């Protein structure tokens, strides 16, 4: 049975994400900045993997202004503001198996501009 192209792309991304997650883990002092990208929105979370809880979250549906890459940068700045409220300045970046270009790169740059170090 032939698989659809989008199914193959999704499987490849999941495999890349599993390789990343084998090396990347977040703690309370240095949480994991996890990124997820859907067709409509972009999501970012600060996760403490030791306790298995989300410390802060931001997404492009509500918190972001603009479109595309500008919206991604706004999400990065928003998650950085929320991290400051929790007194977090250092994170581990988990790009979620996505390539480090476009929206993912802009989200990371926005988070760095907001004061996060990774």
């Amino acid at each position: 049975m032939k698989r659809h192209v989008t199914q193959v792309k999704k499987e490849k991304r999941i495999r890349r994400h599993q390789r990343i997650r084998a090396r990347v883990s977040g703690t309370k002092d240095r949480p994991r900045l996890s990124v997820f990208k859907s067709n409509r929105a972009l999501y970012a979370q600060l996760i403490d993997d030791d306790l298995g809880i989300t410390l802060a979250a931001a997404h492009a549906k509500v918190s972001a202004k603009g479109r595309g890459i500008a919206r991604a940068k706004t999400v990065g700045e928003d998650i950085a503001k929320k991290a400051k409220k929790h007194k977090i300045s250092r994170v581990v970046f988990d790009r979620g198996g996505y390539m480090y270009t476009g929206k993912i790169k802009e989200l990371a740059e926005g988070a760095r501009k907001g004061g996060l170090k990774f």
Side-chain angles (χ1 to χ4, degrees), residues 25-28 30-34 45-50 52-56:
S25 181
T27 62
K28 186 177 182 190
R30 193 169 179 189
R32 175 169 54 102
L33 174 57
S34 177
Q45 292 182 328
L46 292 175
I47 301 170
D48 178 0
D49 289 315
D50 292 340
I53 59 171
T54 299
L55 303 171

Side-chain angles (χ1 to χ4, degrees), residues 5-20:
V5 175
T6 54
Q7 184 181 7
V8 173
K9 285 176 71 173
K10 184 177 181 181
E11 289 171 0
K12 284 183 174 183
R13 184 193 72 81
I14 290 169
R15 280 197 299 265
R16 281 193 305 267
H17 192 203
Q18 287 172 343
R19 284 196 304 270
I20 292 166

Side-chain angles (χ1 to χ4, degrees), residues 63-75:
S63 60
K65 295 176 182 155
R67 298 183 79 78
I69 292 175
R71 180 174 275 196
K73 195 164 197 168
T74 307
V75 172

Side-chain angles (χ1 to χ4, degrees), residues 31 46 56 77-91 116:
L46 292 175
E77 291 169 357
D78 190 36
I79 196 72
K81 285 179 194 172
K82 291 181 179 183
K84 280 187 178 181
K85 288 180 185 176
H86 288 279
K87 297 183 175 119
I88 297 168
S89 61
R90 295 182 54 83
V91 297
L116 290 180

